[in-house]
Amino acid sequence: MDTVTLEDARRVIAAAEAKAAEIGQPMNIAVADAGGNLVSHVRMDGAWLGSIDISINKAFTSRAFDIQTKDLGDNAQPGNQFYGIHASNHGRIMIFAGGLPLSRDGQVVGSIGVSGGSGEQDQSVAEAGAAAL
Amino acid sequence: MDTVTLEDARRVIAAAEAKAAEIGQPMNIAVADAGGNLVSHVRMDGAWLGSIDISINKAFTSRAFDIQTKDLGDNAQPGNQFYGIHASNHGRIMIFAGGLPLSRDGQVVGSIGVSGGSGEQDQSVAEAGAAAL
Amino acid sequence: MDTVTLEDARRVIAAAEAKAAEIGQPMNIAVADAGGNLVSHVRMDGAWLGSIDISINKAFTSRAFDIQTKDLGDNAQPGNQFYGIHASNHGRIMIFAGGLPLSRDGQVVGSIGVSGGSGEQDQSVAEAGAAAL
Amino acid sequence: MDTVTLEDARRVIAAAEAKAAEIGQPMNIAVADAGGNLVSHVRMDGAWLGSIDISINKAFTSRAFDIQTKDLGDNAQPGNQFYGIHASNHGRIMIFAGGLPLSRDGQVVGSIGVSGGSGEQDQSVAEAGAAAL
């Protein structure tokens, strides 16, 4: 099972931070490994305190289901097939934009979770991070 | 109290695994006894990490209310009679497809919970398992 | 990162069950992977209900610190260097005998957790399981 | 309220990492701010998974009581004045070595938590980190 290293995580976080700085929105950024366990987290100065937990759990969620959290969110709306999934895994499932699997050679090797702005901002920062793997 | 044995649970799980292999989707499969307590769990290679907890809790939920989780889900949508039930039981109530009671001689003796694919896939694998009791 | 497969887990569990049968004490037996996540669990007929959680968490603990839970326990007694560690990781740290890392080619690839008897019994069953990897 | 910045946290973490590398023991290292909230965390490759939570909570604990966790630990042994404190704060209180307040101009502005080795190793790495503030 291939997995991200701390060096990988730092490269991903640096790219995400650069994007957050570019759009002027301080963010919490977390990277998890192939086992869903945290590798690294940073809170940029001024970023929301409540987003520490959210960023770490968006990363967990993306690896837990090998899916973007925004796509899981579509399936988790009332009436849809995974409605209620946010009650599972002891509060660690986040069902809104900002979490992405990290893949290498077609295999998920970890994940990134971003929280601190609008859903659109979180998503764009997470994508910038993921692109740097 | 008639209840599933470990041997029963293994037969149910084997049938569920065979169905999961047939449809090409690795699954987490759990069987609970008449007391709602876990008898056995397997995570097939490559199945989602986030589905460990969900499969075990789908099994718990089905025995907790002697109902299929997808039917409980219908009643648990916003505006319906059990909306909010997913907040009870310390996060153990799952309200989407994949959990089924296991019955023998007209009596519920345990339950199966399956998680790892779409709602439809989880349901079909759980049904294959239940049929083997 | 090498990790146990479901087939590995079943071989380990079968060996542990055989030992439990030999000593006449029904057990809960759990195997976790290299990420600390559950691969499989079985509760032998008549084994304690409270040991479901303990077996799964002994497996988690052994991988979380790459140590036998009985050795962690020695370090976690009042006055010793890790006293209080049982309050960490949201109640998942077990500090008594029955959890062992599973190693292959000198690398920890998972873990086994056994609960259902005395500390000595749990330990001997876990050792029998680990020897089958 | 003077508080550590992300830049401060990174300098502290870098010094702690250098010490961990020097003693050959991979560590989890966390820095919290004056509010006790996580600023940054790194898990060095090969460091214990169970120490993610512990490092973050050692940092929380040190700021929560403006004390080194090893000194709190002395007071938290059976029979001593704070025995039982590890049951408070929802499992976030760590009472063994590796957590230190970070001070500037005689004021606590944050904290560092280190976990991944013996109590003595955790303490020495945390001290190296704190010295870099």
Side-chain angles (χ1 to χ4, degrees):
Chain A
M1 178 167 63
D2 187 18
T3 187
V4 295
T5 61
L6 176 55
E7 190 185 325
D8 291 330
R10 282 185 158 138
R11 196 171 57 250
V12 165
I13 288 172
E17 271 187 88
K19 182 66 177 183
E22 180 193 319
I23 65 173
Q25 186 67 23
M27 293 286 183
N28 280 268
I29 307 160
V31 171
D33 67 13
N37 298 302
L38 186 64
V39 178
S40 189
H41 162 271
V42 304
R43 174 160 52 98
M44 296 170 69
D45 296 335
W48 295 331
L49 298 178
S51 286
I52 299 169
D53 180 81
I54 294 175
S55 64
I56 293 171
N57 286 333
K58 282 183 182 171
F60 172 75
T61 301
S62 276
R63 173 50 182 148
F65 302 106
D66 293 347
I67 196 173
Q68 295 200 13
T69 53
K70 77 176 172 62
D71 293 334
L72 182 63
D74 292 340
N75 283 280
Q77 297 302 310
N80 289 0
Q81 67 174 345
F82 294 146
Y83 174 61
I85 200 170
H86 61 285
S88 76
N89 286 273
H90 308 279
R92 303 192 65 194
I93 304 302
M94 294 294 108
I95 54 172
F96 46 101
L100 274 77
L102 296 174
S103 296
R104 189 153 49 199
D105 303 328
Q107 195 189 346
V108 178
V109 295
S111 52
I112 179 173
V114 172
S115 182
S118 67
E120 206 174 314
Q121 288 175 320
D122 291 356
Q123 181 71 17
S124 73
V125 170
E127 288 174 357
L133 182 65
Chain B
M1 177 168 67
D2 187 17
T3 184
V4 295
T5 60
L6 177 54
E7 191 185 324
D8 291 330
R10 281 184 159 140
R11 195 170 59 251
V12 166
I13 288 173
E17 271 187 87
K19 181 68 175 181
E22 181 193 318
I23 66 172
Q25 188 67 23
M27 293 286 183
N28 280 268
I29 306 162
V31 171
D33 66 12
N37 300 299
L38 186 65
V39 178
S40 189
H41 162 272
V42 302
R43 173 159 52 100
M44 297 169 70
D45 296 335
W48 295 331
L49 298 177
S51 286
I52 299 169
D53 179 81
I54 295 175
S55 64
I56 293 171
N57 286 333
K58 282 182 181 171
F60 171 76
T61 301
S62 276
R63 174 50 183 147
F65 300 107
D66 291 346
I67 196 173
Q68 294 200 13
T69 53
K70 77 176 173 57
D71 294 335
L72 182 64
D74 291 341
N75 284 279
Q77 297 300 311
N80 289 0
Q81 66 175 342
F82 294 146
Y83 173 62
I85 200 170
H86 62 282
S88 76
N89 286 272
H90 307 279
R92 302 191 64 192
I93 304 302
M94 296 292 107
I95 54 172
F96 46 104
L100 273 77
L102 296 174
S103 296
R104 191 153 50 199
D105 303 328
Q107 195 188 346
V108 179
V109 294
S111 52
I112 179 172
V114 173
S115 181
S118 68
E120 208 174 313
Q121 288 176 319
D122 292 356
Q123 181 72 16
S124 73
V125 170
E127 288 174 357
L133 180 66
Chain C
M1 181 167 62
D2 188 16
T3 186
V4 295
T5 62
L6 175 55
E7 192 185 323
D8 292 329
R10 281 184 158 138
R11 196 169 59 250
V12 166
I13 288 173
E17 271 187 88
K19 182 68 177 180
E22 181 193 318
I23 65 172
Q25 188 67 24
M27 293 285 184
N28 279 269
I29 307 159
V31 171
D33 67 12
N37 298 301
L38 186 64
V39 178
S40 190
H41 162 272
V42 303
R43 173 159 53 98
M44 296 170 71
D45 297 334
W48 295 331
L49 297 179
S51 287
I52 299 169
D53 179 81
I54 295 175
S55 65
I56 293 171
N57 286 334
K58 281 183 182 170
F60 171 75
T61 301
S62 276
R63 174 49 181 148
F65 301 106
D66 292 347
I67 196 173
Q68 294 199 14
T69 53
K70 77 174 173 61
D71 294 334
L72 183 63
D74 291 341
N75 284 280
Q77 298 302 309
N80 289 0
Q81 65 175 347
F82 296 146
Y83 174 60
I85 199 171
H86 60 285
S88 77
N89 285 273
H90 308 280
R92 303 192 65 193
I93 304 303
M94 295 292 107
I95 53 173
F96 45 101
L100 273 76
L102 296 174
S103 295
R104 190 153 50 200
D105 304 327
Q107 195 188 347
V108 179
V109 294
S111 51
I112 180 173
V114 173
S115 181
S118 67
E120 208 174 314
Q121 289 175 319
D122 292 357
Q123 182 72 16
S124 73
V125 170
E127 287 174 359
L133 180 68
Chain D
M1 180 167 64
D2 187 16
T3 185
V4 294
T5 61
L6 176 55
E7 191 184 324
D8 291 329
R10 282 183 158 141
R11 195 171 57 251
V12 166
I13 288 173
E17 271 187 88
K19 182 67 178 179
E22 182 194 317
I23 65 173
Q25 188 66 23
M27 294 284 184
N28 280 267
I29 307 160
V31 171
D33 66 12
N37 300 299
L38 185 65
V39 178
S40 189
H41 161 271
V42 303
R43 174 159 51 101
M44 296 170 70
D45 296 334
W48 296 332
L49 297 178
S51 286
I52 299 169
D53 180 80
I54 295 174
S55 64
I56 293 172
N57 286 332
K58 281 182 182 171
F60 171 75
T61 301
S62 275
R63 173 52 183 144
F65 300 107
D66 292 346
I67 195 172
Q68 294 200 13
T69 54
K70 78 175 173 58
D71 294 334
L72 181 64
D74 292 340
N75 284 280
Q77 298 299 312
N80 289 0
Q81 64 175 345
F82 294 146
Y83 173 62
I85 200 171
H86 61 282
S88 75
N89 287 274
H90 307 279
R92 303 190 64 193
I93 304 301
M94 295 292 107
I95 54 172
F96 46 104
L100 275 76
L102 295 174
S103 295
R104 189 153 49 200
D105 303 328
Q107 195 188 347
V108 179
V109 294
S111 52
I112 179 173
V114 172
S115 181
S118 67
E120 207 174 315
Q121 288 175 320
D122 292 357
Q123 182 72 16
S124 74
V125 170
E127 287 174 357
L133 179 65

